[in-house]
Amino acid sequence: MRNKCSICDREKESGSDLCYRHEKAYKNLKKVYIKWKKAVNIDWNEYLKEVIEIPETGTWVKEVALNLINNQKTQTYL
Ligand SMILES: [Zn+2]
């Protein structure tokens, strides 16, 4: 069993595939998605792609979004 984050080489959090920083970024990504959903009709996939394009998006969040797209873990989480 891997003990490393699926994105970086840090130790992963228990109950997660991600380390503390990436897990935090992932939670934030989901939180922001809920806000977006209220304003615009966008699906999770499109949202991830949009997030990557935004210059203000933090590195951690971008890495999580890219990882989700690349692994096609793009089914709806909500
Ligand atoms: Zn990580």
Side-chain angles (χ1 to χ4, degrees), residues 5 7-8 19 22:
C5 170
I7 300 170
C8 65
C19 65
H22 282 124

Side-chain angles (χ1 to χ4, degrees), residues 23-40:
E23 178 66 23
K24 217 171 129 182
Y26 177 51
K27 278 182 184 149
N28 197 43
L29 200 60
K30 287 198 287 187
K31 208 168 77 188
V32 174
Y33 178 61
I34 294 165
K35 273 192 207 162
W36 278 41
K37 273 289 259 189
K38 283 178 185 162
V40 284

Side-chain angles (χ1 to χ4, degrees), residues 5-10 18-23 60 63:
C5 170
S6 18
I7 300 170
C8 65
D9 273 343
R10 287 174 191 83
L18 304 171
C19 65
Y20 173 74
R21 295 293 299 267
H22 282 124
E23 178 66 23
W60 297 93
E63 283 175 0

Side-chain angles (χ1 to χ4, degrees), residues 3 12-13 16-18 22 29 35 44-45 49 52 56 58 61 66 68 75:
N3 282 316
K12 67 181 186 183
E13 288 286 283
S16 170
D17 287 330
L18 304 171
H22 282 124
L29 200 60
K35 273 192 207 162
W44 179 241
N45 242 317
K49 285 174 194 157
I52 292 165
E56 290 79 21
V61 174
L66 269 172
L68 290 166
Q75 68 272 31

